[in-house]
Each structure stands twice: as C-alpha cells, then as structure tokens.
C-alpha cells in the first residue's frame, strides 16, 4: 500500500511512488526542458535587448533667477540635484504624449512594430506597444531610470537617449509657453513706463525752457537779488526779477511735482528693466533640466527571454504536476482494487436495527451526505457525468456575454485624457496648487458650462421634464468625467463618451473653462484693488492740483515763493541791515507789504510746499502699485502646463468584452455546479427513502 488507512499520502508513501514512477517523471521533466528550450528560440519568441538611461532633475528651472537675479534668496544652486518634487515632475513629463508622439514619429515605430497605417485600432495598438517597451521609474537614490527594450539593440539605445534629450526640449517648450506671455506683459509695462518717463522729461525740459531750472536754488537766488535791487531802488531790475519770479511761481509747483515724480518713475523703471531683462532671458534662452548619470548603449546580449529561468520554471512545474498526476493515478488504482464503483451516489452507512417490544426501530446515525460530494473522486465523477451539460452552458454563457456586451446592448465609450500641472496660481490656504486645481476643475460653474456648451442633457437623453432631471444629469456627467491627482502631483482629466471626438473636445473645453474660471477669480479681486488705487489716485491728483493752484495764488498775488529765503531778506530790509552802496535807499513800503504777507500767509506757504512734496511722492508710490495691479488685471494668462494633450481615441475603452465574457463563463459554470450538486443531493436522498428536509 502506498497510502495510509485514511487515504492520505504520507512522505514515505510519496517517496515510494516517486521511485515507482521515476522513469515517467524523468521523461516528463526532460520533455518540459526540451520544449522550453525549443519554444524560447528566436523562431518562437523575438529576443529583446535592453538599454537604460539614469538621470537626475535639476533643482532650478528659471534661468534668470539662477543666473541674473540678485534677490533670489532660495538656497537652490544651479548645479544642485532636484528633490522629490522635481523627480515626480520629471516622471510625469517623461510619460507625456508629447515625448511619446515625437519618439514614435522620429523612429517610425508604427512600421518598426509592424502596425499597418490602415489597421483597425492603429493608435491604440501603437501606444500599447510603446508603453510595453518603454518604462520609467524612480530609483532608490531619487534618480529617474529610463528603460527601453526592443528587438534591435541600437534602436533601444537610441530611443532611450532620445527620450532623455527630449525631456529638456519638452520642459523648455512648456516653460516657454508661460515665459513668453510673461515677457510680453513685462515688455509692455516696461515700454509704457519708459515712454512715460520720456514724456515727463520732455515736460520738464519745456518748463526749463521757460526759465525754471531748479526751483529751490532759483527762488533763493532771485529773492536775494530782489532784496539787493530793492535796496538799490533799481526799478528796471526789480521789474525783471518780478517777471522771473512770476514765471517761477507759476511753473514752480509743476516743476517740483514732475521732478519728484520723475525721480520715483526712474527708480521704478530701473526695477522693471531688471524684470524685463530676466523675462527676456527666460523667454529666449534654454537651460538644461537634467543631469545624465548613465547614457544608454547598444546591448550586446539579449535581456528577454531569460532562457534558463523559463527552463527552470517549466521543469519545476512539470515535476510538481507529474507528482499530482502520480498521486491521482495511485488513488484511482487503489479504488479499482477495492472494487468501488464509479457511481456518483455516495455510500450511505449501514442501518442499525434495534429490537424493542416486538418492533424493529431503524436508527440511522447522523451523517452529512453532502460531505461526500466534496472529495476529489466525487467531484471528478460529477464533472465527468455532467460534462456535456457544463460545456453547453459555458458556451452559451460565453455567446450571451459576447452578444450582450456588443454595441446593440451596451453603448461603447471612448476615452480621452489630459495630464496637466497648475501654473500661475497661489494657494488660498494650506492646500497645494494641485489640490486647488482639482477643486476648481470640479466647481459647479465649469460643470454647468460643460452641460450647456455640449448640450449634455440631450446627449445623455435625459428628459427636462423628468422629476429628478438635475440629479440624473449631474450623475451622468460625473460618470463620464473623472478628475483626479496622479502619483506625480499632476492632475488627470479623463472623459468617456460614445463619440471619441466629443470626448477629446470636452477635455479641451474643461481646460479652457478652468483658465476662464481662474482668470475670473483673479480679475474679480484685482478689479477691487484697481478701483481702490484708482480712486486714491484721483483724490491725490485733485489734492495736488488744489495745492498747486493755491501755491500759484500765493506767488502771484502775495509774492510768496520761498518762505525761508524771503523771510531772511525781509528782515534784513526791515532792520536796514542791507550791505552795499544803496543800503540807504530801501523800499520800505515793499518790505512792509512782503512782511505783512509773509506774516499772514507764511505758515500756509510752508504747509502747502511740504504737503505738495509729500503728496507728489505718495502719488508716485500709489501710481506704481496701481500700474502693477492693472498689469495683472489686463494680462491674458493661462493657468496650466499641459503635459499630455487629449487625443481622439480609435478604440473603445468600455466595455472590455473579454472580461465580460470571462465573468459570464465563470459565473455560469459556478451556478451550474451549484445546481448540479443540489439535484444530485436530492436524488441521493430520494433513492434511500429520505426527504431532503430530514
């Protein structure tokens, strides 16, 4: 006997079995080894060669901040390797369709992978083949590894190296899209401010032509000379000085205001010029975004298939399978020796008859008849008995699964996807920019706009008079549009629709509406700030005009131009301390009149001059802030960097028919088995005079 009394195989019996069937097992193992060797030859499996590139991302992305800016306080160095965030961004960009499509086009992979231009689902097959041959992953040292396998070793190496090179151009192209727009904004502001400074300089030159060159020094000198001429009694000189003083009083306030504004505008122009130069560099120059650690080379030895590994797996599988076969065969032989029939019915225990008062009471021990059906022999017999029924039911389930998963019963859906990173946005609270982008993309404004633009109620065939019309419409939209975060902190927008072109257009429209949404939010806040600064500027301009007008009146009507100088000269004339030949001919009436005017309105003159200077400075500061906010308000910006653009799918994404067919077959098979066991159990009980309930 090769087994125990219970029918189980122990280690000793198993060893005897192996010795008994050693020749058969050896033949099976040899056949498995030979078959695995033959079927791994190039005739059956195309050998693939592997090439890899290992690279690190840089920590700095802006050329101007890395090289030109003196205010860039980041501790990131131009030659420093990137961290986790840069590595994730690199992985996302390497996986983008921008790089994939350029690789496919450059190496003509459609022909290389033997995919005909006219074949059905050409793009789907091509992209699937590309993704199976090209892999990206992050190493344990925070680097990025690009792995390419191909039947041509040189092609694999060239593709890997080209992908690494395309990362720079793709990254630069994405940044240029934003940098060029930013440069246009700064350029427009710089040119506007430069023209404004030139206009103010021309205005100042015009005032200088009228004789106002330096208000403070001219006022001081003219007042001194006027005092001298008054002392001399030189009427002609006094008249000329008074004419000049009148010009000075008329244009002096304007001169001071323009001069102070020009000084501040020049400082602002210098700052914007620096930003202009930085933006110009970012828009026109390129900076590498990677450090290549290992370049790819043409492999000398294939990496797939690994023949020894396949042979080991094949031999091991054959060995264990042969052991199971030997054990099953031994059990069958043992059963035959005991003359056990292959009847499907379980053998019931013998009846126990106990005589009691001239009566025979038949007592049957409690036993679970069902248990007998779950031993290996019973299951095999049951399957063999019902094999035709099971085969027919399985085939029918497969056919029905294929039919009911067809377009007549399930509308096929096509998928279009875009992968994007947020740009030009700031966090409102503690959320990341990616989380903010997710929230905005799922806003009700965008959903309502999508429903209206694409007339989704009609497209989804939802009756507007339906009681739960709005709920049903939003449910259909949410089932069709999925927005989620990728493992690399990007945002994936997936749209499924029965029309592949509509699906791609819906993704594009969601991105456009996102830009409109963010722009609207920004402009709403900027509008408030713009209005605030504009009102403040208008008030300050009115105040400056009123101060200049009052200064003009004090100069023309009261002869008050410069309080400090005039007060000194008046006191000298009043006290007759004027030196010179005409010290005795002082115009006492003129001195007294000026003394009276300066006593009455000298304080007002000081306050007005001080206020005018202060308001001119603050006016320039407010104007700078106003123009900066106005620049952002009028700017036309985008708020996303598109890594992968949506494309029109050529193969449906739903339903996956083979999965439905497989589930139908397995479900029908299990259900049939359950029904068969139930039927056989009932027959077994009835055959022995028992009801299933007992």
């Amino acid at each position: 006997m090769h087994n125990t009394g219970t029918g189980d195989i122990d280690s000793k019996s198993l060893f005897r079995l192996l010795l008994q069937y050693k020749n058969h097992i050896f033949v099976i193992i040899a056949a498995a080894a030979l078959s695995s060797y033959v079927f791994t030859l190039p005739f059956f499996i195309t050998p693939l060669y592997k090439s890899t590139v290992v690279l690190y991302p840089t920590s700095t992305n802006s050329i101007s901040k890395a090289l030109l800016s003196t205010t860039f306080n980041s501790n990131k160095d131009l030659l420093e390797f990137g961290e986790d965030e840069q590595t994730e961004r690199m992985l996302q960009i390497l996986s983008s369709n921008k790089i994939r499509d350029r690789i496919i086009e450059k190496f003509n992979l459609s022909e290389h992978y033997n995919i005909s231009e006219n074949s059905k689902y050409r793009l789907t097959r091509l992209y699937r083949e590309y993704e199976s041959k090209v892999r990206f992953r992050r190493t344990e040292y925070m680097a990025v590894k690009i792995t390419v396998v191909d039947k041509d070793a040189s092609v694999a190496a060239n593709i890997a190296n080209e992908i690494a090179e395309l990362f720079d151009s793709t990254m630069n192209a994405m940044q240029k899209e934003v940098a060029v727009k930013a440069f246009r904004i700064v350029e427009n502001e710089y040119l506007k401010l430069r023209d404004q400074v030139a206009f103010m300089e021309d205005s100042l030159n015009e005032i200088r032509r009228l004789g106002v060159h330096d208000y403070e020094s001219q006022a001081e000198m003219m007042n001194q000379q006027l005092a001298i001429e008054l002392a001399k009694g030189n009427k002609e000189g006094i008249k000329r000085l008074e004419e000049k003083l009148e010009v000075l009083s008329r244009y002096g306030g304007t001169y001071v205001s323009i001069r102070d504004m020009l000084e501040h505008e020049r400082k602002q122009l210098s700052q914007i010029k620096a930003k202009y130069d930085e933006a110009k560099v970012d828009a026109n120059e390129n900076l590498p975004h990677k450090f290549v650690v290992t370049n790819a080379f043409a492999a000398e030895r294939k990496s797939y298939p690994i023949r020894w590994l396949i042979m080991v797996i094949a031999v091991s599988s054959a060995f264990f399978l042969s052991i199971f076969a030997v054990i099953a065969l031994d059990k069958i032989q043992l059963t035959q020796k005991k003359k056990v029939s292959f009847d499907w019915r379980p053998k019931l225990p013998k009846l126990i008859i106990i005589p009691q008062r001239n009566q025979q009471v038949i007592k049957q021990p409690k036993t679970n008849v069902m248990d007998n059906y779950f031993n290996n022999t019973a299951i095999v017999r049951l399957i063999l008995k019902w094999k035709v029924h099971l085969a027919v039911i399985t085939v029918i389930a497969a056919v029905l699964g294929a039919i009911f998963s067809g377009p007549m019963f399930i509308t096929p859906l096509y998928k279009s996807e875009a992968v994007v990173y947020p740009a030009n946005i700031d966090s409102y609270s503690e959320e990341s920019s990616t989380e903010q982008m997710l929230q905005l993309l799922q806003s009700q404004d965008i959903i309502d706009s999508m429903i209206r633009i694409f007339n989704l109620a009609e497209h989804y065939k939802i009756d507007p008079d339906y009681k739960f019309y709005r709920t049903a419409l939003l449910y259909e939209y949410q089932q069709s549009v999925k927005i989620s975060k990728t493992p690399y902190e990007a945002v994936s927008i997936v749209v499924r629709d029965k029309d592949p072109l509509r699906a791609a257009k819906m993704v594009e429209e969601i991105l456009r509406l996102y830009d409109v949404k963010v722009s609207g939010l920004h402009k709403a806040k900027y509008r408030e700030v713009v209005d605030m600064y504009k009102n403040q500027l208008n008030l300050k301009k009115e105040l400056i005009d009123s101060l200049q007008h009052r200064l003009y009146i004090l100069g023309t009507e009261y002869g008050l131009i410069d309080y400090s100088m005039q007060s000194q000269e008046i006191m000298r004339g009043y006290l007759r301390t004027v030196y010179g030949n005409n010290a005795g001919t002082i115009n006492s009436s003129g001195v007294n009149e000026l003394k009276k005017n300066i006593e009455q309105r000298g304080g007002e003159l000081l306050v007005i001059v001080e206020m005018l200077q202060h308001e001119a400075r603050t006016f320039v500061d407010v104007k700078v802030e106003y123009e900066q906010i106005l620049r952002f308000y009028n700017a036309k910006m985008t708020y996303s960097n598109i890594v992968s653009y949506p494309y029109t799918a050529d193969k449906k994404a739903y339903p996956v028919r083979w999965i439905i067919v497989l589930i139908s077959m397995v479900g029908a098979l299990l259900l049939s088995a359950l029904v068969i066991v139930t039927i056989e159990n009932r027959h077994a009980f009835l055959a022995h005079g028992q009801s299933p309930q007992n």
Side-chain angles (χ1 to χ4, degrees):
M1 294 291 289
H2 298 296
N3 54 4
T4 64
T6 60
D8 296 329
I9 300 294
D10 59 16
S11 57
K12 216 171 191 182
S13 300
L14 179 62
F15 183 70
R16 285 197 296 268
L17 276 176
L18 294 178
L19 289 178
Q20 180 181 351
Y21 293 98
K22 61 181 183 296
N23 294 331
H24 304 78
I25 295 174
F26 178 78
V27 170
I28 292 172
I29 292 175
L34 181 62
S35 300
S36 62
Y37 179 83
V38 171
F39 286 104
T40 54
L41 292 172
F43 181 78
F44 295 97
I45 300 178
T46 303
L48 299 178
Y49 298 86
K50 181 174 72 174
S51 290
T52 60
V53 174
V54 178
L55 43 86
Y56 276 99
T58 59
S59 62
T60 305
N61 297 311
S62 174
I63 306 174
S64 60
K65 289 182 178 180
L67 302 177
L68 302 180
S69 178
T70 59
T71 60
F72 187 47
N73 297 322
S74 174
N75 57 1
K76 300 294 183 184
D77 189 271
L78 180 63
L79 302 179
E80 185 179 357
F81 291 162
E83 297 179 354
D84 188 63
E85 182 180 353
Q86 287 82 10
T87 302
E88 290 179 349
R89 182 179 59 222
M90 173 179 274
L91 284 168
Q92 187 66 70
I93 292 173
L94 287 172
S95 304
S96 68
N97 62 358
K98 294 182 178 180
I99 292 180
R100 179 194 64 196
D101 293 344
R102 291 172 68 178
I103 291 294
I104 289 173
E105 180 181 0
K106 180 171 183 177
F107 292 93
N108 193 14
L109 294 185
S110 181
E111 180 179 343
H112 184 68
Y113 294 150
N114 298 321
I115 299 174
S116 173
E117 293 290 335
N118 300 322
S119 64
K120 191 177 182 181
Y121 310 134
R122 185 185 72 86
L123 289 178
T124 302
R125 292 176 56 199
L126 181 59
Y127 294 158
R128 187 177 298 167
E129 191 71 22
Y130 173 87
E131 290 169 0
S132 66
K133 297 292 192 297
V134 180
R135 298 289 184 182
F136 310 102
R137 72 173 183 89
R138 179 168 52 186
T139 69
E140 59 272 23
Y141 307 112
M142 300 304 294
V144 173
K145 186 176 183 180
I146 305 171
T147 304
V148 179
V149 294
D150 197 87
K151 60 185 178 182
D152 188 329
S154 298
V155 171
N158 292 336
I159 290 177
N161 289 324
E162 184 65 21
I163 290 174
E165 290 300 320
L166 285 177
F167 173 74
D168 275 341
S169 61
T170 304
M171 191 74 176
N172 286 324
M174 291 172 58
Q175 291 182 336
K176 285 290 182 292
E177 186 176 354
V178 178
V180 169
K181 292 182 180 180
F183 170 66
R184 297 303 177 202
I185 295 172
V186 176
E187 181 184 36
N188 182 53
E189 183 65 20
Y190 167 69
L191 296 176
K192 186 191 299 183
L193 187 57
R194 189 182 66 179
D195 294 341
Q196 186 174 346
V197 168
F199 176 76
M200 293 172 68
E201 288 176 343
D202 293 340
S203 301
L204 210 57
N205 290 332
E206 289 295 327
I207 295 177
R208 289 186 179 123
R209 291 191 187 97
L210 295 173
V212 182
H213 300 280
D214 189 338
Y215 176 77
E216 287 82 1
S217 61
Q218 279 184 289
E220 180 181 355
M221 293 178 62
M222 286 184 184
N223 279 291
Q224 289 179 355
Q225 189 62 34
L226 180 60
I228 294 173
E229 296 299 329
L230 287 171
K232 291 180 180 180
N234 186 358
K235 295 181 179 180
E236 185 177 350
I238 292 171
K239 183 179 180 181
R240 287 199 302 270
L241 284 172
E242 287 178 345
E243 291 175 354
K244 290 184 178 181
L245 285 171
E246 183 180 358
V247 172
L248 190 64
S249 63
R250 179 176 296 175
Y251 299 106
T254 305
Y255 174 85
V256 171
S257 178
I258 295 177
R259 183 195 62 189
D260 293 343
M261 288 179 63
L262 183 60
E263 181 181 355
H264 286 78
E265 290 293 324
R266 281 173 175 163
K267 291 180 181 179
Q268 183 67 16
L269 181 64
S270 176
Q271 295 175 359
I272 293 184
K273 178 65 164 58
K275 292 182 179 179
Y276 170 79
D277 292 337
E278 292 178 6
K280 187 175 182 179
V281 170
D282 287 336
N284 297 328
E285 302 297 332
N286 292 325
L287 185 71
H289 297 278
K290 68 179 186 304
F291 298 100
V292 178
V293 180
T294 304
N295 283 310
F297 62 91
E300 298 174 344
R301 185 178 180 183
K302 64 180 177 63
S303 60
Y304 173 84
I306 305 175
R307 181 171 289 175
W308 68 267
L309 182 60
I310 295 175
M311 291 182 66
V312 167
I313 294 174
V315 168
S316 301
S317 302
F319 176 70
F320 287 111
L321 187 62
S322 61
I323 290 177
F324 289 130
V326 165
I327 292 173
L329 182 62
D330 183 67
K331 278 201 170 190
I332 293 173
Q333 290 177 350
L334 184 62
T335 304
Q336 288 177 346
K337 286 179 181 179
K338 290 183 177 182
K339 298 181 180 181
V340 178
S341 67
F342 281 86
D343 190 7
W344 52 266
R345 289 176 295 182
K347 186 175 181 181
L348 296 176
K350 294 181 179 180
L351 300 178
I352 300 176
I353 304 175
I354 301 176
Q356 195 176 43
R357 293 184 181 181
N358 300 324
Q359 291 183 352
Q360 289 185 347
V361 179
I362 300 175
K363 291 187 179 180
Q364 189 173 359
K366 293 182 180 180
T367 179
N368 191 354
V369 181
M370 199 71 174
D371 290 341
N372 294 319
Y373 290 104
F374 291 99
N375 59 64
N376 297 336
T377 306
I379 291 175
V380 171
R381 292 170 183 168
L382 210 59
I383 291 174
L384 291 175
K385 178 181 179 181
W386 294 87
K387 60 181 181 296
V388 177
H389 304 78
L390 291 174
V392 171
I393 292 173
T394 304
V395 171
I396 293 174
V399 172
L400 292 177
I403 292 174
F404 286 105
S405 62
M408 184 179 297
F409 296 94
I410 300 178
T411 303
L413 300 179
Y414 298 84
K415 183 178 78 171
S416 188
E417 180 181 13
V419 178
V420 297
Y421 275 105
N424 299 324
I425 59 175
D426 295 323
S427 299
Y428 291 118
S429 57
E430 296 181 356
E431 84 282 1
S432 66
S433 56
T434 302
E435 291 169 341
Q436 183 187 132
M437 186 179 199
L438 281 170
Q439 189 64 56
L440 292 173
L441 285 169
Q442 295 170 355
S443 66
Q444 196 62 43
D445 293 350
I446 292 180
I447 295 175
D448 292 341
S449 298
M450 290 292 295
I451 291 173
R452 184 185 67 257
I453 293 171
F454 290 94
N455 194 13
L456 294 183
E458 180 179 346
H459 183 65
Y460 295 149
K461 298 180 180 178
I462 300 176
D463 187 2
D465 298 328
Y466 176 52
K467 182 179 179 181
F468 304 109
Y469 162 76
R470 182 71 177 172
T471 303
L473 183 57
L474 292 177
Y475 174 80
E476 288 294 335
Y477 177 85
Q478 291 166 0
Q479 292 299 310
S480 301
V481 180
K482 300 294 183 182
I483 301 173
S484 59
K485 183 165 63 173
T486 71
Y488 310 120
E489 287 298 315
V491 174
S492 171
I493 305 172
V494 177
V495 176
R496 288 182 173 87
D497 196 86
K498 58 185 179 182
D499 184 350
L501 182 60
R502 178 186 287 265
K505 288 184 176 179
M506 286 180 69
V507 176
E508 294 173 354
E509 187 62 22
I510 288 174
L511 290 173
R512 188 191 70 81
L513 290 173
Y514 167 75
D515 286 339
V516 173
K517 175 72 174 178
V518 178
S519 178
L521 291 174
H522 287 186
K523 285 185 183 296
K525 295 302 177 184
Y526 283 137
R527 180 74 259 178
E528 295 176 1
V529 181
V530 165
D531 291 341
M532 180 187 70
Y533 278 119
K534 190 174 182 180
N535 293 333
Q536 193 174 0
L537 283 176
N538 291 334
L539 292 174
K540 286 193 172 293
K541 191 172 184 305
E542 292 176 1
L543 179 58
I544 290 174
D545 291 342
S546 64
L547 291 174
Q548 288 178 343
H549 180 69
R550 186 59 185 166
L551 194 64
Y552 172 76
I553 292 175
L554 291 176
T556 55
E557 295 184 6
Y558 301 101
L560 301 179
I561 299 188
D562 189 305
Y563 179 84
S564 59
M565 294 305 304
Q566 284 184 305
S567 60
Q568 292 177 15
E569 297 302 327
I570 289 171
M571 291 306 296
R572 290 172 63 187
Y574 180 74
L575 298 174
R576 296 181 178 275
T577 56
V578 178
Y579 299 99
N581 296 330
N582 298 319
T585 59
I586 296 175
N587 186 353
S588 299
S589 61
V591 171
N592 291 330
E593 184 179 358
L594 278 175
K595 179 176 177 295
K596 180 181 178 182
N597 290 339
I598 206 167
E599 287 174 349
Q600 294 178 350
R601 294 177 172 81
E604 183 184 359
L605 176 64
L606 287 174
V607 172
I608 290 176
V609 171
E610 185 68 25
M611 287 181 64
L612 187 60
Q613 292 175 347
H614 174 72
E615 292 299 328
R617 288 192 296 269
T618 56
F619 179 83
V620 172
D621 293 338
V622 174
K623 188 171 182 294
V624 169
E625 296 291 337
Y626 168 75
E627 290 177 348
Q628 184 175 1
I629 295 297
L630 190 63
R631 181 170 71 247
F632 284 107
Y633 176 74
N634 293 326
K636 295 181 179 179
M637 303 177 67
T638 57
Y639 300 93
S640 62
N641 285 325
I642 302 178
V643 178
S644 295
Y645 284 90
Y647 69 93
T648 305
D650 58 357
K651 185 179 181 180
K652 63 181 176 63
Y654 172 84
V656 184
R657 180 171 286 184
W658 69 269
I659 293 180
I660 296 176
V661 171
L662 180 62
I663 292 174
S664 301
M665 292 172 63
V666 173
L669 189 61
L670 293 176
L671 185 61
S672 301
L674 182 61
V675 172
I676 289 171
V677 169
T678 303
I679 294 173
E680 295 291 347
N681 182 48
R682 183 178 180 84
H683 288 172
F685 277 109
L686 293 175
H688 290 82
Q690 293 181 352
S691 65
Q693 287 78 14
N694 297 328

